[in-house]
Amino acid sequence: MVTPDVDASQVPPAPAAHGSAGRWIALFVVLSLITISFLAQGFGWGGVIFEAPWSPQITAFLATLAQALLLVVPLAVLAFAWRAPRYRAMFQAWLAAALMLLALAPARLLPPVDSQLAYLMQAILLAVAFTLLRGFFPIRAPRGSSGVVYAVAAGLGLLAGLPWIRIGSLGSPLDILLAAALAILFGLTAGHIVGRFWLQPLQTAYRSPGRDYFTGGIVIGATLLILASGVTFNGLQLVLMIALPALGWAAMGVAGLGAARSQPGRWPAVALLAATAAWTCLAFVDSDGMAPIIGDSILGDAFKAALLVVLIGWAIGLVLGLISRRASSPTLTPVRAGWLAVPAAALLIAGLVYATGGQTGAHGDRLFVVLGDQADVSSAVQMTDYDARREYVYDTLVAHAESTQAPLRATLDRLGVAYTPYYLVNALEVSGGLPMRWWLEARSDVARVMPSPTLRPPQSELQNVPGGMEKPTEPQWNLTSIGAPQVWAEFGARGQGIVVGQSDSGAQFDHPELFDSYRGRDGNHDYDWFDPWYGNPAPIDFGGHGTHTLGSVLGDSVGVAPDATWIACANLPRNLGSPAHYLDCLQFMLAPFPVGGDAFRDGDPTLSANVLNNSWGCPQDYEGCDPGSLRPAVAALRDAGIFVVSSAGNDGPACSTLTDPIAVYDEVFTVGAVDERGNLAEFSSRGPVTTDGSGRIKPDIVAPGVAVLSAFPGNTYEIESGTSMAGPHVAGVVALLWSANPSLIGDIGRTEQILTETTRPYDGAMDILCGSDPSQPPGNLAGYGNVDAYAAVQMALEAP
């Protein structure tokens, strides 16, 4: 049976029983659910910073589960025990939203890097939950609306989302469709909950237009907050949680537009309003840039845009509130076709904003496809001619990749799918989403497929951020503690003749600390610089991380090996990498090529770097690297006689926190961080390595990594801490060794032996031993101990 709408003038005010208590309890519940929701999702998003003992997705799942349970239990009691109809309806609406949140929690178990899979899973879960919701709790009211109201609601949602359109950029067509599917199901769920559990009971618990409008805005806003905390991931839900509740009053307005008051039959209008606003965020904001460890401008821009959405939402709600007060009078004017000017104007404005101020185009993520047949170049180790050795590795790898990739490349060419081939790992980076991934995984020549995330273009040009320190007048503690000044003074070894390769955020090549040692200082950057992200023709550094770490290797006054030469590659200019871009730079270090050149055709391995500093890690959860993704690359570099140094990571102090490529590999010399007093830095990642099942002892050595002064963009200096600062010291020491005794160049095993046999025993704090016996190195805290440049060079000079 359909219950007809009831004229407000014919409904007596509901009794005020429990009115005062209801208001205070409702206020307490609203504040509690806001607090619980933001604390839970904030912890789930920032668990990587808060050093949660689980993976980011486990942390996010547990946080969402805890939030849902903390809301469901008390709301269930209030929803069924409270006698006053209005408050019971309020609590029931929030309970329904919390149950939807509980249904969505499993999607949090997906890695943040799998955005398309996450959106698909959330859409499926919402579709099932919405179907059950409609089946068990139908709305017993006529629609009582026209298509004009629905169009107006969608237009208002689009207007509310303009800030996200302004600061964001679209993903691939599949990204856009998945965002639309998730947004629509989010809107349908929100609309039905509002219609069934709030607007329908309100028909018989009517008070007054103004009071209902104000209270309804809060009820709907809190409902949207709870639901928003369950959709999307990686912190983007926090953006929605800030913005969408502000549309609560607008939702009340469209539910009663042109009518005496809000009607449950108008729930599709509420759904369209919420769906359209949510879609602008889901489609235009790049979730890859929301991870707190990335710190990209997308993060700040998204939250700023959310605050603007709040203001717009409140403005729309205020206007519709004024209209609703007028509509309650006998001179009610029904909604006519003229209202279609609202959605038309919204579309026009949104198009203009996107075309003139947004980032046009589709910027989808890619896939890193590793083939099963990997080349073996280990025989190169027996070659005594260093140039011939490197050329053999390069030529063999390129030929192997060309032949084994041919069938897959031919198929991709026929399909018109863009791809980039690689040889250092026999792999390709392929444009495509979930369907392409499933197809590739089914091929017999493909070993595995990983996400290769790519940040969408920033809204504004990237800017250099200068440091706040001055040039030091004497060697700093980090240099003196490892004996570098003694090496310069007594042995004359300053890294001369050694080429250091730096893969990082870039470098300010004309910094006073770096210019004289840059191989391309004559202005020709061919073979000396590569930017696989944006194609910058000359070295540049927007983040400062690369300039700082390179300065510690060979800066004129802040570096370990000030006379070494450097080349560089930008693998994370915005602090987000991917398997493919890390590999771009590793390939460039083996066989540099001209600016704009082809890695397969134009590489010159005789111009390779001798020593590589890698102050980065590639976490699977955020950047896509599985434990073995880059191992063939570092193995081939070692076979070519290139010494690979890697920072251990900053996920300590727990054991087995050294988890990310390339630091986990045996072929890499991994460096942890100590402070000026010789204590292992709390953040320094520790072994044993468990991600690949090896139980390998790591790190191999420790070096200064706390409060290290080095170069920074803008000809400035800065103090930074991290294992990123420790690794460069060891890369610099290797440069000192090889410059002191050139016969060691390319002899990775002998160089590692010298480094480990000359360490100073670690005698710092040992609160967490991680299965290590400090008296019998190596151990999982500090490896073999503290690097000692002086003792190492002294031994190197004694080597045959």
Side-chain angles (χ1 to χ4, degrees):
M1 180 179 70
V2 175
T3 304
D5 285 348
V6 182
D7 192 308
S9 62
Q10 298 175 356
V11 180
H18 303 284
S20 178
R23 282 193 293 271
W24 284 109
I25 289 180
L27 177 61
F28 176 78
V29 172
V30 168
L31 295 177
S32 297
L33 70 84
I34 291 173
T35 302
I36 291 170
S37 298
F38 275 102
L39 284 177
Q41 294 304 319
F43 182 82
W45 170 64
V48 64
I49 292 178
F50 304 146
E51 299 176 0
W54 309 283
S55 65
Q57 56 264 38
I58 293 294
T59 303
F61 168 71
L62 292 176
T64 302
L65 192 63
Q67 175 195 351
L69 293 175
L70 287 172
L71 296 181
V72 165
V73 174
L75 285 172
V77 174
L78 292 170
F80 295 102
W82 202 262
R83 292 168 52 195
R86 291 170 61 86
Y87 295 109
R88 187 168 62 245
M90 183 184 302
F91 299 139
Q92 287 179 356
W94 296 339
L95 174 62
L99 290 172
M100 296 299 107
L101 175 63
L102 194 62
L104 285 166
R108 292 278 190 260
L109 291 170
L110 293 174
V113 75
D114 283 322
S115 57
Q116 291 185 346
L117 189 58
Y119 278 25
L120 177 61
M121 183 175 179
Q122 288 180 343
I124 292 172
L125 291 173
L126 264 183
V128 172
F130 173 68
T131 301
L132 294 174
L133 179 69
R134 286 202 71 183
F136 285 103
F137 300 100
I139 296 178
R140 300 186 303 275
R143 289 191 179 274
S145 184
S146 68
V148 176
V149 173
Y150 298 157
V152 170
L156 293 176
L158 190 60
L159 283 176
L162 285 177
W164 287 317
I165 298 174
R166 172 65 179 82
I167 62 98
S169 54
L170 291 170
S172 68
L174 183 58
D175 290 327
I176 298 169
L177 287 174
L178 287 172
L182 181 57
I184 289 170
L185 286 161
F186 170 83
L188 288 172
T189 304
H192 193 86
I193 288 174
V194 169
R196 171 61 178 82
F197 295 103
W198 175 246
L199 296 180
Q200 184 168 292
L202 204 63
Q203 300 298 298
T204 55
Y206 177 78
R207 287 293 175 86
S208 67
R211 185 170 178 179
D212 282 349
Y213 193 86
F214 178 77
T215 304
I218 295 175
V219 173
I220 299 174
T223 302
L224 292 174
L225 170 68
I226 298 170
L227 289 173
S229 63
V231 297
T232 192
F233 63 106
N234 209 22
L236 192 54
Q237 69 269 29
L238 291 167
V239 176
L240 287 172
M241 289 165 64
I242 292 171
L244 293 187
L247 297 176
W249 289 289
M252 281 296 292
V254 296
L257 194 60
R261 54 192 168 85
S262 298
Q263 304 174 25
R266 289 282 185 83
W267 73 267
V270 176
L272 280 167
L273 174 73
T276 309
W279 178 81
T280 57
C281 180
L282 298 177
F284 283 88
V285 180
D286 185 3
S287 61
D288 288 338
M290 295 299 295
I293 62 171
I294 294 170
D296 191 73
S297 60
I298 292 173
L299 180 65
D301 288 344
F303 281 107
K304 291 176 185 176
L307 296 177
L308 290 176
V309 174
V310 169
L311 296 178
I312 296 173
W314 284 344
I316 293 172
L318 177 62
V319 172
L320 291 180
L322 294 175
I323 292 174
S324 70
R325 288 179 63 85
R326 181 181 175 189
S328 63
S329 69
T331 59
L332 175 65
T333 302
V335 178
R336 301 189 185 279
W339 278 89
L340 291 176
V342 173
L347 281 172
L348 178 62
I349 295 171
L352 289 174
V353 168
Y354 182 54
T356 61
Q359 292 284 0
T360 56
H363 308 279
D365 286 345
R366 300 164 188 146
L367 302 169
F368 187 63
V369 184
V370 179
L371 274 65
D373 189 355
Q374 297 292 320
D376 181 5
V377 291
S378 58
S379 60
V381 176
Q382 308 303 321
M383 303 176 71
T384 57
D385 186 303
Y386 194 47
D387 285 347
R389 179 179 176 181
R390 292 178 290 176
E391 287 176 332
Y392 168 78
V393 171
Y394 174 66
D395 293 341
T396 302
L397 291 175
V398 167
H400 183 81
E402 292 277 19
S403 62
T404 56
Q405 293 174 12
L408 178 54
R409 287 200 217 175
T411 302
L412 294 173
D413 287 337
R414 286 196 302 271
L415 296 173
V417 177
Y419 62 88
T420 301
Y422 293 91
Y423 64 83
L424 196 57
V425 174
N426 192 12
L428 301 92
E429 186 186 45
V430 178
S431 295
L434 278 177
M436 177 63 67
R437 180 174 183 174
W438 293 331
W439 174 73
L440 287 166
E441 288 175 334
R443 289 182 60 96
S444 60
D445 55 348
V446 172
R448 57 197 188 279
V449 182
M450 291 161 266
S452 190
T454 303
L455 287 176
R456 299 175 196 173
Q459 177 56 38
S460 55
E461 290 188 9
L462 300 175
Q463 301 292 326
N464 287 318
V465 179
M469 305 298 293
E470 299 292 332
K471 178 179 179 178
T473 57
E474 58 184 17
Q476 299 294 289
W477 77 268
N478 52 302
L479 300 179
T480 58
S481 69
I482 66 172
Q486 289 178 275
V487 172
W488 309 334
E490 295 188 28
F491 304 125
R494 295 171 55 88
Q496 57 271 27
I498 305 303
V499 178
V500 175
Q502 166 87 341
S503 298
D504 210 292
S505 62
Q508 184 198 337
F509 78 93
D510 58 353
H511 195 290
E513 293 284 337
L514 304 176
F515 180 72
D516 289 341
S517 55
Y518 174 46
R519 196 166 70 181
R521 58 186 175 275
D522 61 355
N524 182 2
H525 305 290
D526 290 341
Y527 303 98
D528 301 324
W529 163 253
F530 179 40
D531 179 2
W533 284 86
Y534 303 114
N536 287 302
I540 192 170
D541 181 14
F542 297 112
H545 190 267
T547 299
H548 192 283
T549 53
L550 185 59
S552 292
V553 180
L554 45 67
D556 185 60
S557 63
V558 295
V560 175
D563 286 353
T565 302
W566 65 271
I567 62 176
C569 180
N571 60 10
L572 61 160
R574 294 166 64 192
N575 206 32
L576 178 80
S578 67
H581 283 323
Y582 287 130
L583 190 54
D584 278 318
C585 288
L586 292 174
Q587 286 188 164
F588 181 76
M589 295 303 160
L590 172 64
F593 45 83
V595 174
D598 186 317
F600 275 69
R601 303 283 178 266
D602 304 322
D604 186 348
T606 64
L607 295 176
S608 78
N610 305 122
V611 183
L612 304 187
N613 177 61
N614 300 278
S615 292
W616 52 269
C618 184
Q620 185 171 7
D621 295 319
Y622 292 103
E623 296 182 337
C625 290
D626 70 23
S629 54
L630 298 176
R631 185 168 188 173
V634 296
L637 290 168
R638 186 184 180 96
D639 292 337
I642 298 172
F643 197 101
V644 182
V645 176
S646 175
S647 298
N650 303 320
D651 296 322
C655 302
S656 295
T657 48
L658 205 155
T659 58
D660 302 328
I662 55 175
V664 295
Y665 302 138
D666 189 44
E667 295 85 351
V668 170
F669 205 66
T670 306
V671 188
V674 293
D675 61 22
E676 188 171 359
R677 295 176 294 179
N679 292 319
L680 187 68
E682 186 175 7
F683 55 73
S684 188
S685 293
R686 312 178 188 204
V689 175
T690 57
T691 52
D692 61 1
S694 67
R696 185 179 301 115
I697 293 175
K698 284 284 183 175
D700 297 294
I701 206 167
V702 291
V706 178
V708 173
L709 176 67
S710 188
F712 222 67
N715 298 338
T716 62
Y717 297 78
E718 190 55 85
I719 293 176
E720 297 282 346
S721 297
T723 59
S724 289
M725 286 66 240
H729 289 80
V730 175
V733 172
V734 175
L736 294 181
L737 294 178
W738 287 8
S739 66
N741 185 352
S743 68
L744 289 172
I745 295 175
D747 191 340
I748 311 300
R750 179 62 179 139
T751 303
E752 289 180 336
Q753 182 182 6
I754 291 172
L755 288 170
T756 57
E757 289 183 357
T758 59
T759 56
R760 288 179 289 103
Y762 174 74
D763 58 2
M766 302 179 192
D767 51 334
I768 304 176
L769 297 180
C770 299
S772 303
D773 182 352
S775 65
Q776 296 181 351
N780 288 309
L781 276 70
Y784 285 90
N786 296 275
V787 66
D788 188 330
Y790 182 81
V793 171
Q794 190 174 42
M795 180 178 284
L797 289 171
E798 297 170 356

